[in-house]
Amino acid sequence: ATYRYSLGRNAWALEQLIAFANVTATIRTNVIKEENGELWVCGPLWPTDEYCALLDELGPVTNVVLPTNALEHKAAMKQFVRKYPDAEVWISPGQYGPFGECGVVTEDMDEDQVNRVVRKAAKTMGYRVDGILPLRAQPGTQSKAHEPKPKNMFPSWADRFDTAVLCVDLPGNAGPTSECAFVHKPSKTLVVTDAVICVPSVSTTAAGDNDSTLQFPIQPIFSSYFDETTLSDPTFWPRTVLQAVFLPLRTEPSKSEMAVYPGYEALTNRLVRAPILRAFADARAPDSVRDWVNRIAGLTTFDRIITAHFASPINAGQDLFTGAFAHLDRDASLDELSSTLPPIACQDWSTLDSLNDFIGDNKLGAPVVYDFRRGCKAE
C-alpha cells in the first residue's frame, strides 16, 4: 500500500511500509512541486499503480534524485526510472549496481572527466543516469577553483536547491556509504533521508479517550500489515520504534499498568540522530560526518526538515539540526551533552555495542574509532 500526505509548502510524502525480520518501519518519497508545476522527486519507492497514480496527480515528474546508497532507499530506483523515462536522474556518489560501483564526481574535474564517470555510472547501475552529485575537491587539488565549473557537474535544479554531499569509503567496509542533504531555498526546507529523525509519541486508544495523554494517532499505513488487535496494544508503537533503531526492549516498572520503555521515552518528540547511525556511521567516520553537518548548517537558512522516516515536517532550523549531532563535539562537556542529546541510558546501547563487537571480531567492517555513546545517561 502507498499513502500520500501533504507536508505543506507544495511538498508531499508518499509512504510505504518495509518489514524484515522483527523490524517494521515506514519509508517515504519526498516530493516538491516547483513554481512551474513540475515535480522534484527524492528517494523513489516501488512504482506500483497506486503509487504512480498518487504521484501523477501532483504534476509531471521531471527531476528524480537518489539521495543515498542505503539499500532500502535505492531498491526501487531502476523500476521507477523505467516508469518515468523522460525525467532527469541524479544520484549520490558511491552507488553500486549489478556491474560494479558508479564512481564519484569531484568539483575539480573538467567536462570530459565528468562525462566519462557518468557514462560509466549509467552502465553500472542499469538505468538512466544524468549526473552524480559532486564531492568537494580534496585539499591541494583546488588549482581549478577559479575556473567556471562545467555545466554537466550540477543538475538543472541547482539554482533552487543547495546541496551537501557525504560520501565515506573506509578500508574494511564493503563499499562507500553516502547521503545527500538539500535545502529547497524557496520553501526554506531541508530535505534529508536518514540524517535525523523525530519519533512522535503515539496513542493507540480511540480518539476522544480521556485516558490518552499521547499526541498522535498511529499512521494508517500500519493497518495494511497488522490487525486491529496488534495495533491497539499500547506497547506496539514503542516496540516498533525500538526495533527500528536497534535499542533493546528494556522496560521499567511504572505506577500505571502500561510498560515503560526508557529507550523509547528518551527518543520521542525531539530531533535526534538515529542510534543505529551513531553506532555504525558516526563511530567509524566522525570527522567526515561532523564536516557534513557543519556544511549543512552553512547552507541557505531553513526552518523545517522533512525526512524519509517517522515524523515530517519537523519545525527545526540549523541550531536544532546541529544539536542532534552534539555527540560529535569532542570539546563538549558531559553537562552540555546531557542538556542537548536524548537521555539514552548507557545500558541501552548494549545491542549496538554487541553488533559492533561482532563486526570487529570478524573483520566485517572498518573499526570503531569514536565513542558514539558520549553523553549517555548513567544508571
Side-chain angles (χ1 to χ4, degrees):
T2 302
Y3 283 73
R4 186 181 69 198
Y5 304 92
S6 172
L7 301 175
R9 304 187 192 179
N10 271 338
W12 289 264
L14 273 67
E15 188 171 76
Q16 294 179 353
L17 202 64
I18 54 175
F20 57 95
N22 63 339
V23 176
T24 308
T26 56
I27 184 170
R28 283 191 294 270
T29 298
N30 287 309
V31 182
I32 292 178
K33 179 182 281 191
E34 301 210 67
E35 290 184 358
N36 61 4
E38 297 175 347
L39 302 183
W40 182 86
V41 178
C42 188
L45 298 177
W46 293 104
T48 62
D49 291 344
E50 179 184 38
Y51 176 98
C52 292
L54 291 170
L55 180 60
D56 293 342
E57 286 175 2
L58 302 176
V61 175
T62 57
N63 292 294
V64 180
V65 182
L66 177 58
T68 176
N69 63 359
L71 180 59
E72 66 273 22
H73 294 287
K74 63 177 284 180
M77 189 68 175
K78 183 175 182 178
Q79 289 78 2
F80 184 90
V81 172
R82 286 179 175 176
K83 282 275 190 177
Y84 297 92
D86 297 328
E88 182 179 302
V89 178
W90 283 72
I91 63 176
S92 70
Q95 295 290 342
Y96 47 91
F99 306 107
E101 294 182 11
C102 74
V104 299
V105 169
T106 57
E107 292 186 2
D108 58 338
M109 288 182 172
D110 60 32
E111 186 171 351
D112 288 340
Q113 291 173 315
V114 173
N115 277 334
R116 283 196 295 271
V117 174
V118 173
R119 283 198 299 267
K120 178 185 175 183
K123 295 178 181 178
T124 299
M125 303 307 294
Y127 54 77
R128 171 178 174 172
V129 175
D130 293 287
I132 301 172
L133 293 163
L135 296 170
R136 295 186 304 171
Q138 293 298 315
T141 60
Q142 300 284 353
S143 58
K144 300 179 183 179
H146 64 284
E147 298 179 7
K149 297 291 190 297
K151 292 181 179 179
N152 60 348
M153 183 173 289
F154 300 103
S156 60
W157 39 266
D159 61 328
R160 304 180 299 280
F161 290 82
D162 282 347
T163 303
V165 181
L166 171 70
C167 185
V168 177
D169 190 5
L170 298 175
N173 278 353
T177 59
S178 64
E179 182 176 350
C180 303
F182 311 93
V183 174
H184 182 234
K185 292 187 281 189
S187 66
K188 297 183 178 180
T189 300
L190 173 65
V191 184
V192 295
T193 305
D194 296 323
V196 289
I197 56 173
C198 180
V199 176
S201 56
V202 161
S203 172
T204 55
T205 58
D209 189 329
N210 291 330
D211 293 332
S212 175
T213 58
L214 302 177
Q215 296 182 343
F216 304 102
I218 200 161
Q219 292 156 286
I221 195 169
F222 282 97
S223 63
S224 67
Y225 192 82
F226 297 99
D227 59 35
E228 185 176 348
T229 300
T230 301
L231 294 176
S232 62
D233 181 347
T235 70
F236 170 78
W237 181 244
R239 287 186 289 107
T240 297
V241 170
L242 292 174
Q243 288 168 331
V245 300
F246 283 69
L247 292 185
L249 300 178
R250 182 175 68 88
T251 61
E252 288 183 343
S254 68
K255 295 180 181 179
S256 69
E257 295 182 0
M258 288 183 60
V260 174
Y261 294 87
Y264 169 76
E265 298 295 334
L267 291 176
T268 51
N269 300 327
R270 59 191 302 162
L271 190 68
V272 300
R273 176 70 159 166
I276 188 172
L277 290 178
R278 282 178 64 170
F280 287 172
D282 303 355
R284 290 171 171 81
D287 295 338
S288 295
V289 175
R290 187 186 305 107
D291 175 69
W292 181 55
V293 171
N294 290 337
R295 283 187 284 121
I296 293 172
L299 300 179
T300 298
T301 300
F302 56 87
D303 59 17
R304 69 174 196 159
I305 304 171
I306 59 178
T307 74
H309 304 285
F310 295 109
S312 268
I314 307 159
N315 293 326
Q318 269 88 344
D319 288 345
L320 283 177
F321 178 78
T322 55
F325 295 84
H327 57 281
L328 293 175
D329 184 352
R330 299 178 189 271
D331 298 325
S333 68
L334 291 179
D335 287 342
E336 290 171 327
L337 293 176
S338 64
S339 66
T340 305
L341 295 173
I344 300 173
C346 297
Q347 63 181 305
D348 284 339
W349 289 102
S350 58
T351 300
L352 289 164
D353 276 335
S354 297
L355 289 171
N356 270 333
D357 288 343
F358 180 82
I359 291 169
D361 292 344
N362 293 278
K363 294 181 171 36
L364 299 176
V368 170
V369 298
Y370 191 80
D371 183 8
F372 58 90
R373 300 163 302 177
R374 291 189 69 224
C376 69
K377 180 182 176 184
E379 302 244 337

